[in-house]
Amino acid sequence: MHTRLLSAAVMLAFSSFSQAQTDVAAMADKIEPEVIKWRHHLHENPELSNREFETAKYVAKYLKSLGLEVETGVAKTGVVAVLDSGKPGPVVALRADMDGLPVPEENELPWRSKAKGEYNGKEVPVMHACGHDTHMAMLMGAAKILTEMKGELRGKVKFIFQPAEEGAPPGELGGAEVMVKEGVLKSPDVDVIFGLHISSNLDIDKVSYKPGGAMAAVDPFKIVIHGKQAHGAYPWKSVDPIVTAAQMVMSLQTIVSREIKLIDDAAVVTVGAIHGGNRSNIIPREVELVGTIRTLDKAAREHVYEAMERKVKGIADSMGAEAELTLPLDYSYPITYNDPELTMDMLPTLQRTAGKDGAVLAKAVTGAEDFSFYQEQIPGLFLWVGGKPLDVPEADSPAHHTPDFYVDDKGMKLGVKLLTNLTLDYMAKAD
């Protein structure tokens, strides 16, 4: 008798779960035109990091229309809304970023951006050249569906619309790091967070995932080499910071090629700029190097830090020069680390939502994402959603952060369904 009752309960739960999945798909179909409309408006009216004032008003107005509890001005321009089911359960956070980039848009879309902004004291064109317009539209869509499915929920949903993912302007703070410091994961305390990023080179209707280190930690650095100035005709009278810099550039490359176990995880040490000297016949007093470090493993990150200090000091000493290493320079992002247990727990959701062949195991990338600041505090899962039209070869898809960047509106429906189903399924597993 007990077994029969249990089986009946399981069948009832499965039936309810299947119905919820069907409802999400149907609702995503129904609101797709709205999601596209929101995306086009946001794309046509982008704003730079920490300047997303009108964007925040647009998002907040919509969230309030759903009857949600909305807070604005978080980390300057961020918007946070809470959906309370009225029942006990976990708190699930869903995050979208809001900022555009100082990039001119070069296409003939009727909703292309013609916006201008100020960057480094200059007027610049502004474009959603990384798809943040789609991220906002997808999360607005998920908010609508989850609000309408409030009776299916257990716990609370926190919708986070974050400014300045691309980095705050010089001299300012912003992004996920500031949102965390201002308590976005508290009151109510968040148990788990999910985030999506549209991809211009992944087919629509596909989602890619990577357990563990998915995107790299980023650590900018600066090295200032102090030598002794001399006439270029009498180099023996100098302590040449240019030759010292050249040796450092070459030596820094051996950290990755000879000291990091690359069969486990990739790493990058890039010197992106060298500044020093002003004439062909003067050996300068000082040279400056600036660059970036990318790592996908905490141990590798610590090793690169130690090796840089060792090599910079050793080479400077051998040349009779002095060197100052600043690491990190002005900001630092942790590794975007997808909790392996959470990733595997939610994999059935990805496969059910995108189809078994639509959920693709990805390789890690050396780009960075400040979603990592949330993942330092709580388990999180960050995914890539396809935005590439099926008739465009991957080799021809426009890159992110470029004037011809483009993703198809049709890719957003999968993102809406994923955000919704991840929330529903996580709450169901937590029951």
Side-chain angles (χ1 to χ4, degrees):
M1 182 68 176
H2 176 72
T3 303
R4 290 176 184 173
L5 287 173
L6 181 61
S7 298
V10 169
M11 290 299 294
L12 181 61
F14 180 79
S15 174
S16 176
F17 176 81
S18 299
Q19 183 60 47
Q21 292 288 323
T22 303
D23 290 347
V24 169
M27 294 167 82
D29 286 341
K30 182 178 179 181
I31 69 167
E32 185 179 21
E34 280 188 276
V35 174
I36 292 172
K37 180 187 72 174
W38 299 329
R39 186 265 171 118
H40 289 185
H41 171 85
L42 292 163
H43 189 92
E44 197 170 357
N45 298 279
E47 295 173 291
L48 293 172
S49 302
N50 274 0
R51 304 293 184 270
E52 307 94 335
F53 301 111
E54 296 303 317
T55 302
K57 289 178 184 177
Y58 184 82
V59 169
K61 181 179 179 181
Y62 179 73
L63 296 174
K64 288 176 182 176
S65 77
L66 297 177
L68 300 177
E69 175 189 334
V70 179
E71 181 181 3
T72 58
V74 184
K76 196 163 187 175
T77 57
V79 180
V80 180
V82 176
L83 169 59
D84 187 349
S85 72
K87 307 180 194 74
V91 179
V92 177
L94 305 174
R95 175 269 207 169
D97 36 17
M98 304 195 300
D99 50 331
L101 287 159
V103 173
E105 184 159 12
E106 297 179 358
N107 58 51
E108 297 304 319
L109 293 172
W111 36 274
R112 68 185 180 277
S113 170
K114 298 175 185 175
K116 302 286 184 181
E118 183 179 308
Y119 187 75
N120 282 341
K122 297 180 180 178
E123 185 180 74
V124 294
V126 185
M127 175 190 176
H128 272 300
C130 202
H132 296 188
D133 52 330
T134 68
H135 303 169
M136 288 183 280
M138 289 188 286
L139 187 51
M140 290 166 71
K144 181 178 179 68
I145 294 176
L146 288 167
T147 300
E148 293 183 6
M149 297 184 72
K150 183 177 177 179
E152 305 281 342
L153 305 183
R154 299 289 185 274
K156 299 179 176 69
V157 187
K158 186 174 278 191
F159 304 99
I160 299 173
F161 290 82
Q162 177 207 304
E165 188 281 324
E166 299 290 356
E172 297 182 25
L173 299 174
E177 183 176 19
V178 177
M179 294 203 91
V180 170
K181 287 179 179 177
E182 293 190 6
V184 75
L185 299 180
K186 303 293 183 182
S187 301
D189 292 353
V190 176
D191 294 290
V192 69
I193 187 166
F194 299 109
L196 304 178
H197 202 302
I198 199 85
S199 172
S200 65
N201 56 19
L202 179 67
D203 285 346
I204 58 171
D205 297 330
K206 290 188 182 295
V207 57
S208 68
Y209 66 96
K210 165 66 171 66
M215 298 183 75
V218 54
D219 296 297
F221 65 86
K222 179 172 73 173
I223 303 168
V224 180
I225 303 167
H226 304 282
K228 180 181 178 183
Q229 188 162 323
H231 195 296
Y234 310 106
W236 52 87
K237 294 184 178 182
S238 76
V239 174
D240 193 334
I242 290 180
V243 173
T244 305
Q247 292 192 30
M248 283 187 188
V249 171
M250 297 306 295
S251 182
L252 293 177
Q253 303 312 301
T254 66
I255 297 173
V256 173
S257 67
R258 291 297 179 269
E259 298 186 30
I260 299 296
K261 192 177 179 183
L262 292 178
I263 59 173
D264 292 338
D265 276 306
V268 172
V269 177
T270 292
V271 177
I274 303 177
H275 307 287
N278 52 29
R279 279 184 63 97
S280 63
N281 62 348
I282 299 174
I283 294 172
R285 178 182 291 113
E286 187 175 286
V287 169
E288 178 182 281
L289 311 177
V290 291
T292 187
I293 300 165
R294 305 295 173 110
T295 47
L296 289 155
D297 175 81
K298 290 182 180 179
R301 192 183 195 190
E302 291 170 1
H303 184 94
V304 172
Y305 267 57
E306 180 278 324
M308 286 197 70
E309 292 172 357
R310 168 169 35 92
K311 289 178 180 290
V312 167
K313 183 181 186 304
I315 292 170
D317 288 348
S318 73
M319 298 294 291
E322 295 182 359
E324 300 169 3
L325 170 63
T326 305
L327 176 62
L329 178 56
D330 47 8
Y331 69 93
S332 180
Y333 286 6
I335 298 163
T336 304
Y337 186 83
N338 286 330
D339 182 274
E341 184 177 352
L342 174 65
T343 306
M344 291 301 100
D345 281 348
M346 305 316 297
L347 181 56
T349 302
L350 307 186
Q351 292 173 334
R352 211 166 33 240
T353 306
K356 191 169 184 179
D357 294 334
V360 181
L361 178 62
K363 294 181 179 179
V365 297
T366 49
E369 237 289 347
D370 76 351
F371 188 82
S372 53
F373 285 103
Y374 306 117
Q375 293 172 310
E376 275 196 320
Q377 307 297 318
I378 58 174
L381 177 57
F382 192 72
L383 304 165
W384 290 88
V385 176
K388 183 182 74 65
L390 297 178
D391 59 351
V392 175
E394 184 177 341
D396 295 336
S397 62
H400 291 242
H401 290 217
T402 63
D404 58 345
F405 173 79
Y406 172 76
V407 288
D408 196 323
D409 287 334
K410 294 176 184 176
M412 293 189 291
K413 183 164 66 174
L414 175 59
V416 172
K417 292 190 291 185
L418 283 166
L419 290 169
T420 306
N421 286 336
L422 286 165
T423 302
L424 291 168
D425 291 4
Y426 185 85
M427 288 181 169
K429 289 174 185 289
D431 271 353

